[in-house]
Amino acid sequence: MIRGRPRSLRGRLVWGVTLLAAAAVLTAQAIGFLVLRSWLLNRVDQQLTEFILPNRALADEAGLPTRPAGDSATLPSDFRITFYDASGEERGTLGGGKKPGPALPPSTSRLHLEKARQATVPAESGDGHWRVLWKDAGLGGTTFVVALPLDTVEGAASKLLALNVAVFAVTVVGLIAVGRWVVRLGLLPLTRMEHTAQDITAGDLSVRLPDTDPRTETGRLGTVLNDMLDRLQQALRQREFSEARLRRFIADAGHELRTPLTTVQGFAQLALRHPDRPAAQRREADEQIARNAERMNHLVDELLLLATLDQEPAYRTVPVDLLSLAADAVSAAAVRSGGKRQVTLSPLDAKAGDGELEVVETAGDPDRLLQVVNNLLSNALVHTPPGTAVDVRVGRARVGETTGGIDRPGRAGGSPPLTAGTPICVIEVADQGPGLPPQEAERVFERFYRVDPSRSRDHGGSGLGLAIATAIARGHGGRLELDTGAGLGCTFRLVLPARD
């Protein structure tokens, strides 16, 4: 395990940028140092190559014939010359002053140099170095080694090296300081995200990340996180709503079952306490027990049906003639009303003056769809005043505000809206009753909801019929909706996809 490694993103960025920049500066300094030293050495090598031995010095030192008079025997600059005769023995040196000369052997046999090729040798004493070149004098085999000290080159290199070290140190310190500031500024959006995330963790799900600029990485990240938070908040709301609906469902189911169960229990206890009651009382008690048991059985059947529909059951998919289906439902409703209600069947566009009924086909489960229409008709007959007419309309249309399938003011839907313009089949059950106010119309599709605030069962309703009808419509890819208003009557509309 590596210890001391920066763990934060800010630390890794600062040290990473610093190391990269320091490596770049160090590389540039090394290249500059090597180039300068190479240039200085080339200058020294050029001086050695162009050096010409003075005639007077050559005559005095090597005992050779002199060249024309007037030549100076003084060596220029810091040149130093070591002479070797034809046998390879050292004859002497020329120049040098008090400075220690190059460490050269007394004979050429031990001179590890190549003629006309420069080399660097240490000084006789001290830390200095000399640049030397072995050359042939061209007179009787005499050779000499010309040398120049490298004090200037090494001094310049040392000063440059010290300057580079100082510049490098200052650069690293500056990079760390500036890098921390730049990285802190660059990571400021992430810091704000961190503070926002802490607020969200504390329970405030309404907070959103402020940095959502799509041109930056943090902005795009903020946009994605905000979308995720929106979905999370929506999911939590749906979960809370589902839990509230479940609690209300359990409470309503318990209430619905408690009333008939209490009645059965009461009559059963009465029978146990008074076994010698008259036959008429026993018969009345038995009828009450049977009636309430039937109510409980009916409620349990509806609960089981809802549970089955919630699990997305497989419906039969066969061609269904909605006109015939509506006619059967109208006939059954007329029989149930005993002829006291006017229940009519008309085309969907009867308002336009066209009174012809036509076959309207969709695909689905005819038994379940008939159950929906029967439920709508039963509600219209039960919850409207005596003598109120009920009209059942059937036809084809396209999804729109007037034909149904989408939401609008004054309309409550038990299922999500459909795509506008989609071909649909429609069955409407309309009455001229008192209608419903908007706050009650929004809840009619909820389970166990009844408009009657007293929760009376005088009409035999359990509050599950419209919930079952909604689930069946949704399972067929359609929608059940209600257009109503106080004093405007109710129009329940079953919208189904048209058959291709």
Side-chain angles (χ1 to χ4, degrees):
M1 180 177 180
I2 301 177
R3 298 182 180 273
R5 182 179 179 181
R7 296 181 180 179
S8 67
L9 177 60
R10 180 181 291 109
R12 289 196 294 269
L13 288 176
V14 170
W15 284 109
V17 171
T18 301
L19 290 177
L20 288 176
V25 172
L26 188 61
T27 301
Q29 289 181 341
I31 293 175
F33 175 81
L34 294 176
V35 169
L36 178 63
R37 191 173 187 280
S38 176
W39 182 79
L40 293 175
L41 281 179
N42 287 336
R43 291 292 304 273
V44 173
D45 291 343
Q46 185 178 3
Q47 290 178 334
L48 293 177
T49 302
E50 297 176 352
F51 176 77
I52 299 176
L53 186 66
N55 295 333
R56 179 66 62 184
L58 180 61
D60 293 343
E61 298 294 337
L64 299 175
T66 59
R67 302 275 177 97
D71 293 340
S72 175
T74 304
L75 292 176
S77 185
D78 294 327
F79 283 98
R80 177 167 295 192
I81 305 172
T82 300
F83 298 95
Y84 296 91
D85 58 17
S87 63
E89 297 298 326
E90 181 180 346
R91 296 282 303 274
T93 61
L94 180 64
K98 298 181 180 181
K99 184 183 299 184
L104 296 175
S107 64
T108 57
S109 60
R110 298 168 58 188
L111 187 64
H112 302 293
L113 297 176
E114 297 182 13
K115 287 185 179 181
R117 189 178 184 89
Q118 296 86 352
T120 301
V121 298
E124 294 177 346
S125 62
D127 297 331
H129 292 82
W130 288 75
R131 192 71 170 170
V132 299
L133 178 63
W134 187 17
K135 305 181 71 174
D136 192 349
L139 298 173
T142 302
T143 61
F144 65 93
V145 176
V146 59
L148 275 175
L150 295 179
D151 294 346
T152 302
V153 176
E154 292 177 346
S158 298
K159 292 181 180 179
L160 180 61
L161 185 60
L163 179 62
N164 286 344
V165 171
V167 171
F168 180 76
V170 173
T171 301
V172 170
V173 174
L175 284 172
I176 294 176
V178 176
R180 287 174 61 87
W181 178 77
V182 172
V183 170
R184 183 182 295 109
L185 184 63
L187 295 181
L188 187 60
L190 290 181
T191 303
R192 290 196 289 264
M193 288 183 181
E194 178 186 359
H195 295 161
T196 304
Q198 291 176 351
D199 295 338
I200 295 173
T201 304
D204 188 0
L205 294 179
S206 63
V207 179
R208 292 296 180 266
L209 301 175
D211 299 289
T212 57
D213 189 347
R215 296 172 298 179
T216 63
E217 292 80 0
T218 53
R220 291 191 291 271
L221 175 62
T223 301
V224 173
L225 291 179
N226 283 341
D227 292 341
M228 182 185 69
L229 289 173
D230 290 338
R231 294 185 179 182
L232 177 61
Q233 188 175 21
Q234 182 179 3
L236 291 177
R237 288 175 179 173
Q238 291 178 350
R239 178 180 176 182
E240 293 175 357
F241 178 73
S242 298
E243 291 178 351
R245 284 187 60 187
L246 178 61
R247 288 192 294 268
R248 186 167 64 248
F249 177 81
I250 293 174
D252 290 340
H255 179 86
E256 295 294 334
L257 288 172
R258 182 176 57 187
T259 301
L261 185 60
T262 302
T263 302
V264 171
Q265 184 180 13
F267 280 105
Q269 291 177 351
L270 180 64
L272 292 175
R273 293 175 183 175
H274 304 282
D276 54 348
R277 290 177 301 160
Q281 293 183 359
R282 289 199 302 269
R283 181 176 179 81
E284 180 182 359
D286 292 342
E287 290 177 353
Q288 289 291 336
I289 291 175
R291 186 180 302 112
N292 283 277
E294 183 179 356
R295 289 170 57 186
M296 286 191 297
N297 184 64
H298 178 69
L299 179 60
V300 170
D301 288 340
E302 288 188 334
L303 290 175
L304 292 176
L305 176 59
L306 267 178
T308 302
L309 295 177
D310 287 342
Q311 296 175 359
E312 299 183 0
Y315 293 96
R316 287 194 301 158
T317 304
V318 297
V320 180
D321 181 4
L322 294 183
L323 179 60
S324 299
L325 186 144
D328 293 341
V330 168
S331 300
V335 172
R336 288 199 303 271
S337 66
K340 298 179 180 181
R341 289 294 188 94
Q342 182 182 0
V343 182
T344 60
L345 179 64
S346 61
L348 184 65
D349 54 357
K351 296 178 182 179
D354 185 0
E356 294 185 3
L357 292 168
E358 62 178 356
V359 175
V360 179
E361 283 195 352
T362 186
D365 190 329
D367 295 333
R368 292 303 184 190
L369 294 178
L370 180 60
Q371 180 180 359
V372 173
V373 180
N374 284 333
N375 179 274
L376 298 180
L377 277 172
S378 175
N379 285 341
L381 296 176
V382 170
H383 298 293
T384 56
T388 303
V390 178
D391 187 21
V392 179
R393 297 188 284 264
V394 184
R396 294 178 178 272
R398 289 185 177 271
V399 174
E401 288 191 359
T402 58
T403 57
I406 58 176
D407 294 330
R408 71 170 186 178
R411 175 178 294 168
S415 303
L418 304 180
T419 304
T422 303
I424 53 175
C425 300
V426 179
I427 297 181
E428 289 184 349
V429 178
D431 62 62
Q432 301 299 320
L436 296 174
Q439 61 271 20
E440 293 183 352
E442 291 292 336
R443 299 190 59 189
V444 294
F445 299 106
E446 295 182 9
R447 300 176 181 184
F448 289 112
Y449 179 78
R450 288 198 300 269
V451 178
D452 184 3
S454 66
R455 303 180 66 88
S456 171
R457 295 185 54 88
D458 293 340
H459 299 301
S462 65
L464 295 176
L466 288 178
I468 294 174
T470 299
I472 294 174
R474 184 169 55 246
H476 282 77
R479 168 182 166 96
L480 187 64
E481 58 192 26
L482 167 63
D483 287 351
T484 186
L488 300 178
C490 292
T491 300
F492 283 92
R493 183 179 297 109
L494 174 61
V495 180
L496 298 169
R499 185 183 179 190
D500 296 335

